[in-house]
PDB file of all heavy atoms in Angstrom:
ATOM      1  N   VAL Q 226      38.688   9.897   2.568  1.00 95.00           N
ATOM      2  CA  VAL Q 226      37.702   9.087   1.891  1.00 95.00           C
ATOM      3  C   VAL Q 226      38.044   9.163   0.431  1.00 95.00           C
ATOM      4  O   VAL Q 226      38.037  10.247  -0.170  1.00 95.00           O
ATOM      5  CB  VAL Q 226      36.219   9.622   1.982  1.00 95.00           C
ATOM      6  CG1 VAL Q 226      35.253   8.620   1.378  1.00 95.00           C
ATOM      7  CG2 VAL Q 226      35.870   9.874   3.445  1.00 95.00           C
ATOM      8  N   PRO Q 227      38.514   8.015  -0.219  1.00 90.00           N
ATOM      9  CA  PRO Q 227      39.001   8.200  -1.576  1.00 90.00           C
ATOM     10  C   PRO Q 227      37.860   8.491  -2.555  1.00 90.00           C
ATOM     11  O   PRO Q 227      36.893   7.812  -2.511  1.00 90.00           O
ATOM     12  CB  PRO Q 227      39.547   6.737  -1.887  1.00 90.00           C
ATOM     13  CG  PRO Q 227      39.010   5.898  -0.855  1.00 90.00           C
ATOM     14  CD  PRO Q 227      38.636   6.719   0.280  1.00 90.00           C
ATOM     15  N   PRO Q 228      37.984   9.482  -3.469  1.00 89.00           N
ATOM     16  CA  PRO Q 228      36.885   9.707  -4.432  1.00 89.00           C
ATOM     17  C   PRO Q 228      36.826   8.613  -5.497  1.00 89.00           C
ATOM     18  O   PRO Q 228      37.811   8.068  -5.880  1.00 89.00           O
ATOM     19  CB  PRO Q 228      37.304  11.132  -5.018  1.00 89.00           C
ATOM     20  CG  PRO Q 228      38.755  11.352  -4.719  1.00 89.00           C
ATOM     21  CD  PRO Q 228      39.082  10.403  -3.500  1.00 89.00           C
ATOM     22  N   GLY Q 229      35.625   8.318  -5.933  1.00 84.00           N
ATOM     23  CA  GLY Q 229      35.444   7.456  -7.022  1.00 84.00           C
ATOM     24  C   GLY Q 229      35.568   5.984  -6.568  1.00 84.00           C
ATOM     25  O   GLY Q 229      35.560   5.054  -7.465  1.00 84.00           O
ATOM     26  N   ALA Q 230      35.811   5.706  -5.393  1.00 87.00           N
ATOM     27  CA  ALA Q 230      36.023   4.268  -4.949  1.00 87.00           C
ATOM     28  C   ALA Q 230      34.782   3.568  -4.528  1.00 87.00           C
ATOM     29  O   ALA Q 230      34.763   2.449  -3.947  1.00 87.00           O
ATOM     30  CB  ALA Q 230      37.003   4.205  -3.761  1.00 87.00           C
ATOM     31  N   GLY Q 231      33.615   4.242  -4.764  1.00 87.00           N
ATOM     32  CA  GLY Q 231      32.278   3.661  -4.318  1.00 87.00           C
ATOM     33  C   GLY Q 231      31.993   3.819  -2.889  1.00 87.00           C
ATOM     34  O   GLY Q 231      31.129   3.069  -2.332  1.00 87.00           O
ATOM     35  N   LEU Q 232      32.670   4.826  -2.213  1.00 94.00           N
ATOM     36  CA  LEU Q 232      32.535   5.031  -0.710  1.00 94.00           C
ATOM     37  C   LEU Q 232      31.713   6.259  -0.425  1.00 94.00           C
ATOM     38  O   LEU Q 232      31.752   6.730   0.707  1.00 94.00           O
ATOM     39  CB  LEU Q 232      33.818   4.945  -0.037  1.00 94.00           C
ATOM     40  CG  LEU Q 232      34.643   3.617  -0.221  1.00 94.00           C
ATOM     41  CD1 LEU Q 232      35.909   3.686   0.578  1.00 94.00           C
ATOM     42  CD2 LEU Q 232      33.844   2.464   0.129  1.00 94.00           C
ATOM     43  N   LEU Q 311      35.490  -7.021   4.258  1.00 98.00           N
ATOM     44  CA  LEU Q 311      36.645  -6.403   3.685  1.00 98.00           C
ATOM     45  C   LEU Q 311      36.249  -5.625   2.451  1.00 98.00           C
ATOM     46  O   LEU Q 311      35.294  -5.916   1.825  1.00 98.00           O
ATOM     47  CB  LEU Q 311      37.727  -7.475   3.344  1.00 98.00           C
ATOM     48  CG  LEU Q 311      38.110  -8.480   4.384  1.00 98.00           C
ATOM     49  CD1 LEU Q 311      39.096  -9.539   3.817  1.00 98.00           C
ATOM     50  CD2 LEU Q 311      38.845  -7.697   5.549  1.00 98.00           C
ATOM     51  N   LEU Q 312      37.178  -4.758   2.081  1.00 98.00           N
ATOM     52  CA  LEU Q 312      36.903  -3.944   0.821  1.00 98.00           C
ATOM     53  C   LEU Q 312      38.033  -4.004  -0.010  1.00 98.00           C
ATOM     54  O   LEU Q 312      39.213  -3.766   0.327  1.00 98.00           O
ATOM     55  CB  LEU Q 312      36.824  -2.449   1.274  1.00 98.00           C
ATOM     56  CG  LEU Q 312      35.354  -1.871   1.558  1.00 98.00           C
ATOM     57  CD1 LEU Q 312      35.536  -0.350   1.942  1.00 98.00           C
ATOM     58  CD2 LEU Q 312      34.428  -2.053   0.404  1.00 98.00           C
ATOM     59  N   VAL Q 313      37.835  -4.348  -1.315  1.00 98.00           N
ATOM     60  CA  VAL Q 313      38.878  -4.496  -2.310  1.00 98.00           C
ATOM     61  C   VAL Q 313      38.670  -3.350  -3.276  1.00 98.00           C
ATOM     62  O   VAL Q 313      37.576  -3.341  -3.967  1.00 98.00           O
ATOM     63  CB  VAL Q 313      38.823  -5.852  -3.055  1.00 98.00           C
ATOM     64  CG1 VAL Q 313      39.909  -5.998  -4.029  1.00 98.00           C
ATOM     65  CG2 VAL Q 313      38.775  -6.970  -2.039  1.00 98.00           C
ATOM     66  N   ASP Q 314      39.604  -2.450  -3.382  1.00 96.00           N
ATOM     67  CA  ASP Q 314      39.494  -1.282  -4.289  1.00 96.00           C
ATOM     68  C   ASP Q 314      40.001  -1.654  -5.691  1.00 96.00           C
ATOM     69  O   ASP Q 314      41.253  -1.864  -5.766  1.00 96.00           O
ATOM     70  CB  ASP Q 314      40.163  -0.044  -3.663  1.00 96.00           C
ATOM     71  CG  ASP Q 314      39.944   1.150  -4.568  1.00 96.00           C
ATOM     72  OD1 ASP Q 314      39.353   1.062  -5.558  1.00 96.00           O
ATOM     73  OD2 ASP Q 314      40.375   2.266  -4.026  1.00 96.00           O
ATOM     74  N   THR Q 315      39.169  -1.676  -6.648  1.00 97.00           N
ATOM     75  CA  THR Q 315      39.750  -2.187  -7.962  1.00 97.00           C
ATOM     76  C   THR Q 315      40.488  -0.963  -8.634  1.00 97.00           C
ATOM     77  O   THR Q 315      41.117  -1.197  -9.705  1.00 97.00           O
ATOM     78  CB  THR Q 315      38.598  -2.505  -8.997  1.00 97.00           C
ATOM     79  OG1 THR Q 315      37.818  -1.297  -9.167  1.00 97.00           O
ATOM     80  CG2 THR Q 315      37.672  -3.601  -8.410  1.00 97.00           C
ATOM     81  N   GLY Q 316      40.431   0.193  -8.052  1.00 95.00           N
ATOM     82  CA  GLY Q 316      41.241   1.349  -8.662  1.00 95.00           C
ATOM     83  C   GLY Q 316      40.563   1.907  -9.876  1.00 95.00           C
ATOM     84  O   GLY Q 316      41.118   2.846 -10.454  1.00 95.00           O
ATOM     85  N   VAL Q 317      39.405   1.357 -10.318  1.00 93.00           N
ATOM     86  CA  VAL Q 317      38.779   1.910 -11.519  1.00 93.00           C
ATOM     87  C   VAL Q 317      37.884   3.059 -11.049  1.00 93.00           C
ATOM     88  O   VAL Q 317      37.009   2.855 -10.122  1.00 93.00           O
ATOM     89  CB  VAL Q 317      37.897   0.826 -12.184  1.00 93.00           C
ATOM     90  CG1 VAL Q 317      37.198   1.404 -13.449  1.00 93.00           C
ATOM     91  CG2 VAL Q 317      38.770  -0.341 -12.624  1.00 93.00           C
ATOM     92  N   ARG Q 318      38.138   4.178 -11.570  1.00 88.00           N
ATOM     93  CA  ARG Q 318      37.404   5.394 -11.067  1.00 88.00           C
ATOM     94  C   ARG Q 318      36.324   5.847 -12.080  1.00 88.00           C
ATOM     95  O   ARG Q 318      36.516   5.658 -13.294  1.00 88.00           O
ATOM     96  CB  ARG Q 318      38.375   6.554 -10.801  1.00 88.00           C
ATOM     97  CG  ARG Q 318      39.396   6.232  -9.797  1.00 88.00           C
ATOM     98  CD  ARG Q 318      38.750   6.280  -8.451  1.00 88.00           C
ATOM     99  NE  ARG Q 318      39.614   5.948  -7.366  1.00 88.00           N
ATOM    100  CZ  ARG Q 318      39.694   4.820  -6.675  1.00 88.00           C
ATOM    101  NH1 ARG Q 318      38.826   3.816  -7.045  1.00 88.00           N
ATOM    102  NH2 ARG Q 318      40.477   4.608  -5.661  1.00 88.00           N
ATOM    103  N   GLU Q 419      36.802  -5.786 -13.789  1.00 97.00           N
ATOM    104  CA  GLU Q 419      37.591  -5.812 -12.605  1.00 97.00           C
ATOM    105  C   GLU Q 419      36.858  -6.221 -11.360  1.00 97.00           C
ATOM    106  O   GLU Q 419      37.258  -7.065 -10.552  1.00 97.00           O
ATOM    107  CB  GLU Q 419      38.242  -4.482 -12.279  1.00 97.00           C
ATOM    108  CG  GLU Q 419      39.285  -4.008 -13.306  1.00 97.00           C
ATOM    109  CD  GLU Q 419      38.756  -3.349 -14.602  1.00 97.00           C
ATOM    110  OE1 GLU Q 419      37.479  -3.281 -14.674  1.00 97.00           O
ATOM    111  OE2 GLU Q 419      39.517  -2.820 -15.405  1.00 97.00           O
ATOM    112  N   LEU Q 420      35.614  -5.619 -11.301  1.00 98.00           N
ATOM    113  CA  LEU Q 420      34.696  -5.993 -10.127  1.00 98.00           C
ATOM    114  C   LEU Q 420      34.343  -7.437 -10.259  1.00 98.00           C
ATOM    115  O   LEU Q 420      34.380  -8.249  -9.217  1.00 98.00           O
ATOM    116  CB  LEU Q 420      33.481  -5.127 -10.198  1.00 98.00           C
ATOM    117  CG  LEU Q 420      33.657  -3.619  -9.841  1.00 98.00           C
ATOM    118  CD1 LEU Q 420      32.417  -2.856 -10.350  1.00 98.00           C
ATOM    119  CD2 LEU Q 420      33.888  -3.377  -8.356  1.00 98.00           C
ATOM    120  N   VAL Q 423      37.108  -9.857  -9.190  1.00 98.00           N
ATOM    121  CA  VAL Q 423      37.338  -9.924  -7.693  1.00 98.00           C
ATOM    122  C   VAL Q 423      36.239 -10.816  -7.060  1.00 98.00           C
ATOM    123  O   VAL Q 423      36.493 -11.710  -6.258  1.00 98.00           O
ATOM    124  CB  VAL Q 423      37.313  -8.519  -7.069  1.00 98.00           C
ATOM    125  CG1 VAL Q 423      37.316  -8.615  -5.594  1.00 98.00           C
ATOM    126  CG2 VAL Q 423      38.565  -7.738  -7.589  1.00 98.00           C
ATOM    127  N   THR Q 438      30.062  -2.663  -4.394  1.00 97.00           N
ATOM    128  CA  THR Q 438      29.332  -1.784  -3.511  1.00 97.00           C
ATOM    129  C   THR Q 438      29.321  -0.339  -4.059  1.00 97.00           C
ATOM    130  O   THR Q 438      30.297   0.138  -4.618  1.00 97.00           O
ATOM    131  CB  THR Q 438      29.854  -1.828  -2.085  1.00 97.00           C
ATOM    132  OG1 THR Q 438      29.058  -1.067  -1.208  1.00 97.00           O
ATOM    133  CG2 THR Q 438      31.292  -1.508  -1.956  1.00 97.00           C
ATOM    134  N   GLY Q 443      32.864   0.590 -11.567  1.00 93.00           N
ATOM    135  CA  GLY Q 443      34.207   0.777 -10.935  1.00 93.00           C
ATOM    136  C   GLY Q 443      34.093   0.844  -9.441  1.00 93.00           C
ATOM    137  O   GLY Q 443      33.020   0.452  -8.881  1.00 93.00           O
ATOM    138  N   GLY Q 444      35.052   1.209  -8.790  1.00 94.00           N
ATOM    139  CA  GLY Q 444      35.081   1.330  -7.351  1.00 94.00           C
ATOM    140  C   GLY Q 444      35.488  -0.004  -6.658  1.00 94.00           C
ATOM    141  O   GLY Q 444      36.366  -0.730  -7.103  1.00 94.00           O
ATOM    142  N   SER Q 445      34.728  -0.329  -5.513  1.00 96.00           N
ATOM    143  CA  SER Q 445      35.204  -1.356  -4.683  1.00 96.00           C
ATOM    144  C   SER Q 445      34.278  -2.582  -4.634  1.00 96.00           C
ATOM    145  O   SER Q 445      33.061  -2.467  -4.952  1.00 96.00           O
ATOM    146  CB  SER Q 445      35.349  -0.809  -3.224  1.00 96.00           C
ATOM    147  OG  SER Q 445      36.278   0.209  -3.303  1.00 96.00           O
ATOM    148  N   VAL Q 446      34.888  -3.782  -4.168  1.00 98.00           N
ATOM    149  CA  VAL Q 446      34.134  -4.909  -3.943  1.00 98.00           C
ATOM    150  C   VAL Q 446      34.087  -5.197  -2.392  1.00 98.00           C
ATOM    151  O   VAL Q 446      35.120  -4.946  -1.727  1.00 98.00           O
ATOM    152  CB  VAL Q 446      34.756  -6.144  -4.627  1.00 98.00           C
ATOM    153  CG1 VAL Q 446      34.181  -7.433  -4.085  1.00 98.00           C
ATOM    154  CG2 VAL Q 446      34.555  -6.068  -6.146  1.00 98.00           C
ATOM    155  N   LEU Q 447      32.907  -5.460  -1.902  1.00 98.00           N
ATOM    156  CA  LEU Q 447      32.819  -5.804  -0.455  1.00 98.00           C
ATOM    157  C   LEU Q 447      32.850  -7.337  -0.356  1.00 98.00           C
ATOM    158  O   LEU Q 447      32.098  -8.013  -1.126  1.00 98.00           O
ATOM    159  CB  LEU Q 447      31.381  -5.291   0.039  1.00 98.00           C
ATOM    160  CG  LEU Q 447      30.967  -5.747   1.400  1.00 98.00           C
ATOM    161  CD1 LEU Q 447      31.791  -4.968   2.421  1.00 98.00           C
ATOM    162  CD2 LEU Q 447      29.463  -5.572   1.581  1.00 98.00           C
ATOM    163  N   MET Q 448      33.675  -7.874   0.519  1.00 98.00           N
ATOM    164  CA  MET Q 448      33.701  -9.333   0.753  1.00 98.00           C
ATOM    165  C   MET Q 448      33.287  -9.576   2.209  1.00 98.00           C
ATOM    166  O   MET Q 448      33.783  -8.877   3.117  1.00 98.00           O
ATOM    167  CB  MET Q 448      35.203  -9.781   0.567  1.00 98.00           C
ATOM    168  CG  MET Q 448      35.748  -9.628  -0.818  1.00 98.00           C
ATOM    169  SD  MET Q 448      37.164 -10.810  -1.161  1.00 98.00           S
ATOM    170  CE  MET Q 448      38.349 -10.118   0.066  1.00 98.00           C
ATOM    171  N   VAL Q 462      42.669 -13.389  -3.995  1.00 98.00           N
ATOM    172  CA  VAL Q 462      42.080 -12.294  -4.737  1.00 98.00           C
ATOM    173  C   VAL Q 462      43.177 -11.452  -5.334  1.00 98.00           C
ATOM    174  O   VAL Q 462      43.150 -11.069  -6.511  1.00 98.00           O
ATOM    175  CB  VAL Q 462      41.103 -11.510  -3.903  1.00 98.00           C
ATOM    176  CG1 VAL Q 462      40.720 -10.224  -4.493  1.00 98.00           C
ATOM    177  CG2 VAL Q 462      39.884 -12.377  -3.531  1.00 98.00           C
ATOM    178  N   ARG Q 463      44.205 -11.176  -4.492  1.00 98.00           N
ATOM    179  CA  ARG Q 463      45.288 -10.298  -4.931  1.00 98.00           C
ATOM    180  C   ARG Q 463      46.009 -10.892  -6.234  1.00 98.00           C
ATOM    181  O   ARG Q 463      46.288 -10.234  -7.143  1.00 98.00           O
ATOM    182  CB  ARG Q 463      46.282 -10.004  -3.870  1.00 98.00           C
ATOM    183  CG  ARG Q 463      45.847  -8.993  -2.845  1.00 98.00           C
ATOM    184  CD  ARG Q 463      47.074  -8.225  -2.391  1.00 98.00           C
ATOM    185  NE  ARG Q 463      46.669  -7.137  -1.539  1.00 98.00           N
ATOM    186  CZ  ARG Q 463      46.811  -7.219  -0.172  1.00 98.00           C
ATOM    187  NH1 ARG Q 463      47.337  -8.220   0.385  1.00 98.00           N
ATOM    188  NH2 ARG Q 463      46.480  -6.182   0.582  1.00 98.00           N
ATOM    189  N   PHE Q 466      43.865 -10.868  -9.411  1.00 98.00           N
ATOM    190  CA  PHE Q 466      43.795  -9.541  -9.920  1.00 98.00           C
ATOM    191  C   PHE Q 466      45.063  -9.107 -10.597  1.00 98.00           C
ATOM    192  O   PHE Q 466      45.058  -8.610 -11.710  1.00 98.00           O
ATOM    193  CB  PHE Q 466      43.454  -8.538  -8.742  1.00 98.00           C
ATOM    194  CG  PHE Q 466      42.948  -7.270  -9.254  1.00 98.00           C
ATOM    195  CD1 PHE Q 466      41.609  -7.028  -9.450  1.00 98.00           C
ATOM    196  CD2 PHE Q 466      43.814  -6.216  -9.598  1.00 98.00           C
ATOM    197  CE1 PHE Q 466      41.068  -5.774  -9.868  1.00 98.00           C
ATOM    198  CE2 PHE Q 466      43.312  -4.980 -10.028  1.00 98.00           C
ATOM    199  CZ  PHE Q 466      41.986  -4.739 -10.194  1.00 98.00           C
ATOM    200  N   ARG Q 472      48.434  -5.427 -11.545  1.00 96.00           N
ATOM    201  CA  ARG Q 472      48.718  -4.624 -10.279  1.00 96.00           C
ATOM    202  C   ARG Q 472      47.944  -5.276  -9.121  1.00 96.00           C
ATOM    203  O   ARG Q 472      46.935  -5.958  -9.423  1.00 96.00           O
ATOM    204  CB  ARG Q 472      48.357  -3.215 -10.431  1.00 96.00           C
ATOM    205  CG  ARG Q 472      46.906  -2.995 -10.828  1.00 96.00           C
ATOM    206  CD  ARG Q 472      46.607  -1.568 -11.246  1.00 96.00           C
ATOM    207  NE  ARG Q 472      45.304  -1.545 -11.905  1.00 96.00           N
ATOM    208  CZ  ARG Q 472      44.105  -1.479 -11.366  1.00 96.00           C
ATOM    209  NH1 ARG Q 472      44.046  -1.432 -10.061  1.00 96.00           N
ATOM    210  NH2 ARG Q 472      43.005  -1.508 -12.058  1.00 96.00           N
ATOM    211  N   GLU Q 473      48.353  -4.984  -7.859  1.00 96.00           N
ATOM    212  CA  GLU Q 473      47.621  -5.573  -6.715  1.00 96.00           C
ATOM    213  C   GLU Q 473      46.663  -4.562  -6.134  1.00 96.00           C
ATOM    214  O   GLU Q 473      47.041  -3.394  -5.956  1.00 96.00           O
ATOM    215  CB  GLU Q 473      48.671  -5.951  -5.670  1.00 96.00           C
ATOM    216  CG  GLU Q 473      49.613  -7.045  -6.077  1.00 96.00           C
ATOM    217  CD  GLU Q 473      49.742  -8.113  -4.943  1.00 96.00           C
ATOM    218  OE1 GLU Q 473      49.733  -7.676  -3.787  1.00 96.00           O
ATOM    219  OE2 GLU Q 473      50.100  -9.249  -5.249  1.00 96.00           O
ATOM    220  N   PRO Q 474      45.440  -4.936  -5.989  1.00 97.00           N
ATOM    221  CA  PRO Q 474      44.467  -3.998  -5.410  1.00 97.00           C
ATOM    222  C   PRO Q 474      44.607  -3.863  -3.965  1.00 97.00           C
ATOM    223  O   PRO Q 474      44.857  -4.837  -3.257  1.00 97.00           O
ATOM    224  CB  PRO Q 474      43.091  -4.632  -5.771  1.00 97.00           C
ATOM    225  CG  PRO Q 474      43.428  -6.164  -5.794  1.00 97.00           C
ATOM    226  CD  PRO Q 474      44.871  -6.262  -6.214  1.00 97.00           C
ATOM    227  N   PRO Q 475      44.441  -2.669  -3.386  1.00 96.00           N
ATOM    228  CA  PRO Q 475      44.470  -2.472  -1.932  1.00 96.00           C
ATOM    229  C   PRO Q 475      43.257  -3.194  -1.289  1.00 96.00           C
ATOM    230  O   PRO Q 475      42.227  -3.102  -1.841  1.00 96.00           O
ATOM    231  CB  PRO Q 475      44.409  -0.930  -1.667  1.00 96.00           C
ATOM    232  CG  PRO Q 475      44.190  -0.307  -3.000  1.00 96.00           C
ATOM    233  CD  PRO Q 475      44.260  -1.388  -4.076  1.00 96.00           C
ATOM    234  N   VAL Q 476      43.464  -3.745  -0.091  1.00 97.00           N
ATOM    235  CA  VAL Q 476      42.358  -4.430   0.640  1.00 97.00           C
ATOM    236  C   VAL Q 476      42.329  -3.871   1.985  1.00 97.00           C
ATOM    237  O   VAL Q 476      43.280  -3.806   2.673  1.00 97.00           O
ATOM    238  CB  VAL Q 476      42.610  -5.947   0.708  1.00 97.00           C
ATOM    239  CG1 VAL Q 476      41.435  -6.618   1.454  1.00 97.00           C
ATOM    240  CG2 VAL Q 476      42.778  -6.570  -0.674  1.00 97.00           C
ATOM    241  N   GLY Q 477      41.162  -3.404   2.417  1.00 96.00           N
ATOM    242  CA  GLY Q 477      40.983  -2.763   3.813  1.00 96.00           C
ATOM    243  C   GLY Q 477      39.916  -3.499   4.594  1.00 96.00           C
ATOM    244  O   GLY Q 477      39.116  -4.278   4.009  1.00 96.00           O
TER     245      GLY Q 477
END
Side-chain angles (χ1 to χ4, degrees):
V226 187
L232 302 183
L311 305 176
L312 271 178
V313 184
D314 185 353
T315 65
V317 179
R318 296 290 179 255
E419 292 84 354
L420 292 163
V423 171
T438 182
S445 303
V446 168
L447 172 76
M448 295 198 297
V462 166
R463 282 217 175 102
F466 196 92
R472 60 191 162 85
E473 293 222 333
V476 180

